[in-house]
Amino acid sequence: MRNSAGISTERASTMLIACIVLTAALTGCSASTASSPRKTNDSRSEARKGSGTSMLKTLRSASAGTQEYKSLSYRLKNVIDGKSTTSVMRMDQTGNCSGEISSSDGRIGIIKSGERLFMRFDDAYWESQGDDGGAARALVKERWIEASASDSDFEGLTEACDLDNLLPSVTDDSFGDVTGSPSSFDGVASTLITDNESGERTDIYVAADGEPRILKVQTIGGTDPSTITFFDFDEPISVRVPSSSETVPFEDIS
């Protein structure tokens, strides 16, 4: 059957799925701007003395140390397109990653194994897309959609598995007025590093005991409020790659 534009109903439906998937990939998951302090171009970094410089050194060490762990998990809460979104992910240094992203629209399951990326949308997500989502759900069913992790169209999803993208950018002009104080987070003795910049405050908790690592980054105020916590450092993770019978290649629906 063909619609009024001369496109088969089946082809129109697959194009629809591709559109929904790409929309989710491009807008639903990026965490880089939400968890990293903004860069500034003013002269305050040149005037920074004492504790501010020391705190940046501590933060650089913790950021580098966090990347040295063989595996870790994180929970990110932020606001995307006006909707509260929560991401819970587990990842390791070999390119494996799994977890889910949830919002009022529903949940998106993510699995990344090397260069293979898998996505699965729950019924609530398909329903949130109206009639289009219903048609897509009928074709995809319970299967995972498989794509290449290096495909730029899915950058919004693969960024959720990129630790570099999640950690604060620590350069001399990344921060405004930096202070540090003793604190604790989740029972761990910590140094609380606070950055204030143009009505936005970023609190970063760095472990004071054991190996250097970042425990929490919280941005309050501004346009991108968010909270990300890191946990289960060096805990083994298991990523089960879906079988061929459980997947549908993205090329088949695009």
Side-chain angles (χ1 to χ4, degrees):
M1 181 183 297
R2 291 183 176 271
N3 60 20
S4 59
I7 302 174
S8 69
T9 302
E10 181 179 1
R11 177 58 178 161
S13 297
T14 58
M15 289 170 63
L16 200 55
I17 298 173
C19 181
I20 292 172
V21 171
L22 288 176
T23 298
L26 292 170
T27 66
C29 318
S30 179
S32 57
T33 58
S35 60
S36 299
R38 289 181 189 171
K39 293 186 178 182
T40 65
N41 293 317
D42 59 27
S43 60
R44 276 175 296 179
S45 61
E46 298 177 5
R48 188 183 296 115
K49 304 289 184 181
S51 63
T53 300
S54 174
M55 289 302 98
L56 288 184
K57 182 177 180 181
T58 298
L59 185 53
R60 288 192 186 96
S61 176
S63 182
T66 303
Q67 296 182 66
E68 290 299 315
Y69 284 93
K70 295 179 180 179
S71 61
L72 57 76
S73 299
Y74 74 82
R75 179 178 291 103
L76 169 67
K77 295 183 178 181
N78 59 348
V79 178
I80 299 174
D81 293 338
K83 298 176 182 178
S84 296
T85 302
T86 300
S87 306
V88 180
M89 306 294 295
R90 299 162 294 280
M91 64 177 67
D92 65 22
Q93 288 186 341
T94 67
N96 296 317
C97 174
S98 69
E100 68 176 29
I101 299 167
S102 60
S103 71
S104 58
D105 284 343
R107 293 195 304 269
I108 304 174
I110 299 174
I111 295 174
K112 179 178 175 291
S113 178
E115 287 301 308
R116 302 171 71 190
L117 176 68
F118 303 88
M119 303 153 278
R120 185 162 65 181
F121 303 81
D122 70 356
D123 288 343
Y125 184 87
W126 289 127
E127 290 172 4
S128 73
Q129 306 303 306
D131 293 342
D132 294 346
R137 171 70 177 82
L139 285 176
V140 176
K141 299 182 173 59
E142 299 289 340
R143 293 178 294 177
W144 293 82
I145 298 171
E146 180 178 359
S148 169
S150 58
D151 189 331
S152 60
D153 285 336
F154 297 98
E155 183 177 5
L157 290 178
T158 55
E159 281 182 348
C161 296
D162 182 356
L163 186 57
D164 287 341
N165 178 67
L166 297 164
L167 294 173
S169 172
V170 189
T171 61
D172 285 342
D173 63 351
S174 299
F175 292 77
D177 299 320
V178 181
T179 60
S181 60
S183 185
S184 66
F185 174 71
D186 200 22
V188 178
S190 309
T191 299
L192 170 58
I193 300 173
T194 298
D195 170 58
N196 286 286
E197 175 63 32
S198 302
E200 180 178 283
R201 189 181 90 223
T202 301
D203 292 336
I204 304 174
Y205 291 81
V206 173
D209 295 332
E211 296 297 323
R213 61 195 185 279
I214 294 176
L215 302 174
K216 177 181 179 180
V217 181
Q218 181 174 25
T219 301
I220 303 168
T223 58
D224 298 307
S226 67
T227 301
I228 184 168
T229 56
F230 297 96
F231 56 97
D232 287 348
F233 295 92
D234 270 348
E235 290 293 324
I237 69 169
S238 177
V239 174
R240 188 187 76 82
V241 176
S243 65
S244 58
S245 63
E246 298 174 291
T247 64
V248 54
F250 180 71
E251 310 89 73
D252 290 357
I253 59 171
S254 59

